[in-house]
């Protein structure tokens, strides 16, 4: 049995008569249904909204009844949730298909259509939220207290609060209608730039190694993770050179994405550029600030680790590409592990913690929920998609038969498990923010890799496992801090006008030096261009939530390991993630105040236990 290829096309064929050939028709039908809901909302409220400027008395309208039928509003909410389920399902399908074959133009066209439908749906959502926000308190209480709305009360209250921060209806609608051409289109342009750069990079590498002809994913993986340092740095320099050649187009895309958002924020009167992101992630700015203050103050152990890695790499000039590169010990080769062996390895580690979770991992592999092939057409990176109508997740990654790939697989299976716990909840509650969506994934990776260190059969294997975990910490803590510093500085600078390539390079260089305490001798000024996360248009400031989840899950790990029934506690915490803020999760399940810098320092201290052991074990190595 092959465990490395998923079954999405077969599942689509079961759902849709005609399979993928009929997918365009499904999108058209969904678009029509969403448009019909929007039309109904407009007719329900009146063209300009429930409280439009007009003479109520002259028109003979009863102000208490002009838009207040509770049953009608409930039906609109439930209909919008049903359509969102369909939209989410089709959107995830396209994302998965496109991730496997980026060159397929049909998938690109479907993604364009998904973006258009998303814009219409967001307008529907806004109209419903506006309708709810305009209700009298007694009417609103009656609505949210009704039996069929009880489970949605938390999320609807959250949406009402956000709605009250928005613009007048006609202005908000204008922004929503321009999302596809004015925001998402720039993200699509970046996808084309990335494709062009990837093609150039492949050509340049093959030109240097005509007999080898590596795959594109292998080349991109080697830029940061390659075991041959000289080859890695050579490829890294090519990578920077190719991206610099396309930097003007990337700068245009990045500037226009930020420009669109800043216009929206200014129109809404947001005091902070982070306000929308903070609301979406259910976390306060004081908590994020406290976290980054702790990282900036207590980063020395990670800097010491990087310096030690430089010694082990036998170089006194560290490169930006060294930060995530693994050690090659003994015979110079990394430990190899096949995909099926990796599934068994992860299952065994999780089994010692919770049998139910371990059974889920076996099921995910056996039911072909994972695509781990290494192929040229595949997108870089990894993700887990959720299919609410199937009640099943899917994992996409490129498995390179090494320990880092095992960690990535464990991470994505953690996402999959959290999704599986959400399927018995209403769809609106399944769509959780990254700050809590990353809890299970990060915790799973920690569980697997820390247990593996304890069970390592040799000092060499223990060092390699520690190295992998610290590399993950470097990426999620310091590298993400760099992204945060750059993006905040860039958005403030963008308020003054278009930011050219040279200045973007300078902003990135400054962020890299500050984030890593100037430990490197060479950097990647074009990191702002090459990192696709900066061009994700669905949500702003997507980086810091991963650090929040990473450090919060460290505290969770310590707690769960002390519990007799840690698996059950984990399930309660993950279920609560759909209806609590990050601060509330910290207080309820960990008994901590995450708005205090002391909490984040304690979490960092737990992270640094691995660093101390690594430095001890490698002390006498050359």
């Amino acid at each position: 049995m092959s465990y490395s290829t998923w079954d999405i096309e077969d599942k689509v064929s079961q759902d849709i008569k005609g399979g993928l050939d009929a997918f365009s028709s499904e999108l058209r039908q969904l678009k029509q249904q969403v448009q019909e809901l929007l039309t109904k909302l407009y007719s329900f409220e009146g063209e300009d909204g429930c409280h439009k400027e007009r003479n109520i008395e002259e028109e003979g309208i009863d102000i208490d009844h002009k838009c207040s039928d509770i049953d009608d509003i409930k039906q609109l909410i439930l209909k919008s949730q049903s359509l969102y389920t369909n939209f989410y399902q089709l959107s995830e399908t396209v994302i998965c298909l496109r991730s496997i074959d980026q060159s397929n133009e049909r998938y690109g066209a479907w993604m364009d259509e998904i973006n258009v439908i998303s814009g219409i749906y967001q307008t529907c959502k806004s109209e419903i939220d506006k309708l709810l926000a305009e209700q009298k308190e007694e009417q609103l209480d009656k609505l949210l207290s009704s039996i069929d709305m009880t489970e949605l009360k938390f999320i609807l209250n959250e949406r009402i609060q956000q709605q009250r921060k928005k613009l007048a209806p006609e202005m908000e609608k204008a922004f929503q209608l321009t999302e596809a051409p004015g925001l998402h289109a720039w993200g699509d342009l970046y996808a084309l730039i990335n494709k062009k750069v990837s093609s150039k990079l492949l050509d340049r590498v093959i030109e240097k190694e005509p007999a080898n002809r590596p795959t594109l994913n292998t080349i991109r993986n080697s830029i940061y993770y390659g075991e041959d340092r000289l080859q890695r740095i050579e490829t890294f320099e090519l990578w920077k050179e190719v991206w610099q050649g396309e930097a003007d187009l990337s700068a245009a895309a990045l500037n226009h994405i930020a420009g669109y958002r800043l216009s929206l924020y200014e129109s809404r009167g947001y005091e902070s550029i982070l306000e929308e992101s903070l609301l979406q992630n259910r976390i306060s700015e004081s908590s994020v600030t406290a976290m980054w203050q702790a990282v900036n103050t207590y980063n020395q152990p990670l800097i010491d680790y990087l310096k030690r890695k430089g010694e082990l790499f036998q170089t006194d000039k560290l490169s930006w590409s060294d930060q995530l590169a693994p050690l090659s010990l003994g015979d110079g080769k990394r430990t190899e592990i096949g995909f099926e062996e990796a599934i068994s390895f992860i299952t065994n580690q999780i089994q010692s913690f919770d049998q139910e979770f371990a059974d889920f991992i076996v099921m995910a592999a056996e039911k072909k929920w994972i695509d781990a092939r290494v192929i040229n057409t595949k997108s870089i990176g990894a993700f887990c998609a959720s299919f609410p109508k199937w009640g099943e997740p899917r994992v996409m990654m490129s498995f390179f038969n090494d320990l880092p790939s095992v960690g990535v697989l464990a991470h994505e299976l953690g996402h999959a498990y959290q999704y599986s716990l959400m399927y018995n909840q209403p769809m609106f509650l399944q769509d959780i923010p990254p700050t809590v969506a990353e809890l299970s994934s990060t915790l799973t990776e920690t569980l697997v890799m820390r247990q593996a260190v304890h069970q390592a059969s040799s000092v060499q294997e223990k060092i390699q496992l520690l190295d992998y975990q610290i590399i993950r910490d470097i990426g999620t803590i310091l590298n993400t801090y760099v992204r945060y510093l750059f993006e905040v500085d860039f958005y403030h600078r963008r308020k003054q006008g278009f930011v050219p390539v040279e200045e973007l390079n300078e902003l990135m260089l400054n962020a890299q030096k500050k984030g890593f305490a100037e430990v490197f001798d060479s950097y990647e000024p074009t990191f702002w261009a090459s990192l696709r996360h900066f061009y994700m248009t669905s949500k702003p400031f997507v980086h810091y939530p991963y650090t929040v989840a990473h450090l919060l899950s460290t505290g969770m790990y310590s707690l769960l390991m002390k519990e007799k029934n840690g698996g059950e506690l984990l399930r309660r915490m993950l279920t609560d993630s759909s209806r609590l803020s990050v601060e509330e999760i910290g207080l309820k399940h960990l008994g901590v105040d995450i708005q205090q810098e002391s909490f984040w320092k304690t979490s960092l201290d737990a992270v640094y236990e691995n660093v101390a052991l690594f430095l001890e074990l490698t002390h006498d190595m050359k």
Side-chain angles (χ1 to χ4, degrees):
M1 177 188 292
S2 173
Y3 286 87
S4 61
T5 305
W6 59 21
D7 61 344
I8 286 182
E9 291 193 23
D10 292 339
K11 291 285 288 188
V12 171
S13 296
Q14 293 171 20
D15 279 358
I16 303 172
K17 186 177 180 180
L20 291 181
D21 290 336
F23 197 83
S24 293
S25 177
E26 286 290 308
L27 289 174
R28 286 194 297 270
Q29 182 179 349
L30 176 62
K31 181 179 179 181
Q32 181 180 344
Q33 291 171 338
V34 176
Q35 188 64 61
E36 287 172 355
L37 174 62
L38 184 59
T39 301
K40 188 172 183 178
L41 282 162
Y42 284 155
S43 64
F44 188 73
E45 297 181 351
E47 290 183 2
D48 297 324
C50 182
H51 285 198
K52 65 181 182 178
E53 294 294 325
R54 65 190 198 190
N55 191 317
I56 300 292
E57 293 182 0
E58 286 184 6
E59 297 185 39
I61 296 174
D62 183 345
I63 193 168
D64 290 330
H65 293 89
K66 61 182 181 297
C67 35
S68 62
D69 188 280
I70 296 298
D71 288 335
D72 285 348
I73 296 175
K74 284 195 292 188
Q75 291 306 310
L76 289 169
I77 293 170
L78 294 173
K79 179 64 175 178
S80 71
Q81 182 173 235
S82 174
L83 289 176
Y84 184 59
T85 303
N86 292 341
F87 169 77
Y88 201 100
Q89 180 87 9
L90 294 179
S91 177
E92 293 284 78
T93 301
V94 176
I95 289 170
C96 286
L97 291 170
R98 198 180 189 192
S99 72
I100 298 299
D101 187 0
Q102 294 186 96
S103 63
N104 192 308
E105 294 182 359
R106 181 168 66 164
Y107 299 159
W110 288 347
M111 184 54 66
D112 290 341
E113 192 64 21
I114 286 290
N115 288 336
V116 172
I117 297 171
S118 175
I120 302 171
Y121 179 81
Q122 290 303 319
T123 304
C124 290
K125 180 183 174 185
S126 179
E127 291 295 318
I128 290 173
D129 292 349
K130 180 180 66 175
L131 185 58
L132 289 170
E134 291 173 336
Q135 297 304 304
K136 293 181 177 180
E137 287 304 316
E138 59 269 24
Q139 291 287 85
L140 194 57
D141 288 343
K142 182 179 177 181
L143 170 67
L144 297 179
S145 299
S146 60
I147 293 176
D148 45 0
M149 290 288 110
T150 301
E151 288 190 291
L152 296 176
K153 186 173 183 178
F154 168 80
I155 191 69
L156 292 177
N157 271 324
E158 184 178 68
R159 285 168 53 172
I160 290 167
Q161 292 173 13
Q162 293 179 17
Q163 173 62 33
R164 288 172 176 163
K165 291 178 175 288
K166 290 185 177 180
L167 301 166
E170 63 277 3
M171 292 186 66
E172 198 68 38
K173 180 181 176 182
F175 273 106
Q176 289 164 352
L177 292 176
T178 57
E179 264 193 5
L183 178 63
H184 300 312
W186 293 108
D188 291 339
L189 173 62
Y190 174 77
L192 293 175
I193 299 168
N194 186 43
K195 181 180 176 181
K196 184 178 180 182
V197 166
S198 297
S199 178
K200 285 186 175 181
L201 180 66
L202 182 61
D203 290 343
R204 293 284 297 275
V205 172
I206 290 176
E207 183 181 320
K208 288 178 173 290
E209 307 174 48
N212 191 10
R213 299 192 68 83
T215 66
L216 180 58
N217 265 354
T218 299
I219 294 170
R220 290 191 295 195
N221 188 66
S222 71
I223 293 169
Y224 289 111
Y225 306 105
E227 58 187 42
D228 184 327
R229 186 172 188 268
L230 291 177
Q231 185 182 56
R232 170 163 44 80
I233 290 179
E234 183 179 342
T235 307
F236 175 62
E237 292 302 322
L238 276 179
W239 172 256
K240 289 195 294 184
E241 182 183 329
V242 174
W243 270 111
Q244 185 63 39
E246 304 295 334
D248 55 342
L249 291 176
S250 298
L254 191 64
N255 271 275
H256 290 307
I257 289 169
Y260 180 95
R261 285 179 174 147
L262 287 170
S263 295
L264 178 61
Y265 298 164
E266 183 180 6
S267 299
R268 286 181 178 171
Y270 285 170
E271 295 181 3
S272 167
I273 57 173
L274 294 173
E275 188 164 345
E276 181 182 31
S277 174
L278 295 168
L279 287 169
Q280 291 173 348
N281 283 287
R282 298 177 190 162
I283 192 170
S284 67
E285 188 161 6
S286 59
S287 294
V288 175
T289 299
M291 178 184 73
W292 288 131
Q293 286 175 339
V295 168
N296 186 57
T297 304
Y298 304 107
N299 63 4
Q300 191 58 47
L302 291 178
I303 302 303
D304 292 341
Y305 159 81
L306 288 169
K307 290 178 179 178
R308 183 73 185 113
K309 284 284 285 285
E311 294 172 2
L312 295 172
F313 285 146
Q314 297 183 341
T315 180
D316 58 356
K317 293 186 180 296
L318 277 170
S319 163
W320 176 260
S321 72
D322 286 325
Q323 62 180 287
L324 306 178
L327 286 174
S328 294
L329 301 177
D331 58 7
K333 294 182 179 179
R334 288 185 284 175
T335 300
E336 289 196 4
I337 180 170
F339 180 78
E340 294 188 23
E341 186 183 355
I343 290 292
S344 296
F345 179 79
I346 293 169
T347 303
N348 290 337
Q349 308 312 317
I350 295 297
Q351 195 168 31
S352 64
F353 166 69
D354 182 64
Q355 185 62 50
E356 183 178 320
F357 192 175
D359 291 343
F360 171 83
I361 292 170
V362 173
M363 178 177 66
E366 290 180 345
K367 289 193 172 185
K368 296 187 176 182
W369 291 355
I370 307 166
D371 195 299
R373 293 172 292 169
V374 178
I375 52 178
N376 263 337
T377 58
K378 211 172 192 180
S379 64
I380 195 170
F383 66 84
C384 181
S386 176
F387 291 87
K389 295 182 75 173
W390 300 341
E392 299 171 358
R394 294 294 184 276
V395 167
M396 195 290 296
M397 67 171 296
S398 296
F399 193 86
F400 292 100
N401 297 321
D402 55 17
L403 288 172
S405 294
V406 175
V408 172
L409 180 58
H411 184 98
E412 299 307 330
L413 286 170
H415 277 303
Y417 186 58
Q418 184 165 2
Y419 284 140
S420 75
L421 298 174
M422 297 291 178
Y423 290 133
N424 63 348
Q425 299 192 46
M427 184 62 215
F428 284 158
L429 291 180
Q430 293 180 37
D431 194 11
I432 55 179
T435 39
V436 288
E438 292 296 323
L439 288 179
S440 179
S441 56
T442 308
L443 179 65
T444 304
E445 191 174 352
T446 301
L447 279 167
V448 169
M449 302 313 288
R450 289 207 176 190
Q451 288 294 323
V453 169
H454 290 310
Q455 297 176 20
S457 59
S458 67
V459 172
Q460 178 176 313
E461 185 179 15
K462 184 169 288 193
I463 290 172
Q464 286 183 310
L465 288 167
L466 287 168
D467 185 45
Y468 168 75
Q469 290 184 78
I470 302 168
I471 285 171
R472 182 191 66 165
D473 296 330
I474 290 283
T476 313
I477 299 172
L478 295 190
N479 193 290
T480 303
Y481 185 36
V482 167
R483 303 176 193 191
Y484 177 84
L485 289 171
F486 166 79
E487 202 159 26
V488 169
D489 287 348
F490 163 63
Y491 267 73
H492 284 303
R493 172 61 183 84
R494 181 67 180 86
K495 289 179 181 180
Q496 303 167 28
F498 190 93
V499 186
V501 170
E502 295 76 14
E503 194 168 347
L504 287 167
N505 285 349
E506 183 181 354
L507 288 173
M508 179 55 74
L509 185 60
N510 291 339
Q512 289 175 345
K513 288 182 176 180
K514 180 176 180 179
F516 280 88
E518 300 194 34
V519 72
F520 298 116
D521 292 278
S522 61
Y523 294 85
E524 185 182 358
T526 54
F527 190 47
W528 61 268
S530 62
L531 187 69
R532 65 186 177 89
H533 297 75
F534 289 129
Y535 301 85
M536 292 179 173
T537 55
S538 57
K539 292 180 180 179
F541 297 96
V542 298
H543 302 106
Y544 73 83
Y546 293 89
T547 313
V548 170
H550 185 77
L551 294 178
L552 191 58
S553 70
T554 302
M556 288 171 58
Y557 173 82
S558 300
L559 175 66
L560 291 171
M561 291 300 99
K562 297 174 184 177
E563 288 289 322
K564 183 177 180 180
N565 194 354
E568 187 56 40
L569 176 57
L570 173 63
R571 283 183 280 278
R572 290 199 301 271
M573 294 170 72
L574 295 181
T575 300
D576 271 351
S577 69
S578 67
R579 60 185 83 237
L580 294 180
S581 70
V582 183
E583 285 81 7
E584 289 169 334
I585 290 173
L587 285 172
K588 180 176 179 179
H589 294 290
L590 303 177
V592 297
D593 181 2
I594 70 166
Q595 297 182 83
Q596 300 301 314
E597 187 177 339
S598 57
F599 163 74
W600 302 105
K601 181 183 182 300
T602 300
S603 292
L604 286 167
D605 286 340
V607 168
Y608 296 158
E609 290 174 4
N610 280 339
V611 177
L613 182 55
F614 175 88
L615 294 175
E616 177 187 335
L617 294 176
T618 61
H619 183 268
D620 296 324
M621 293 178 62
K622 299 294 184 182

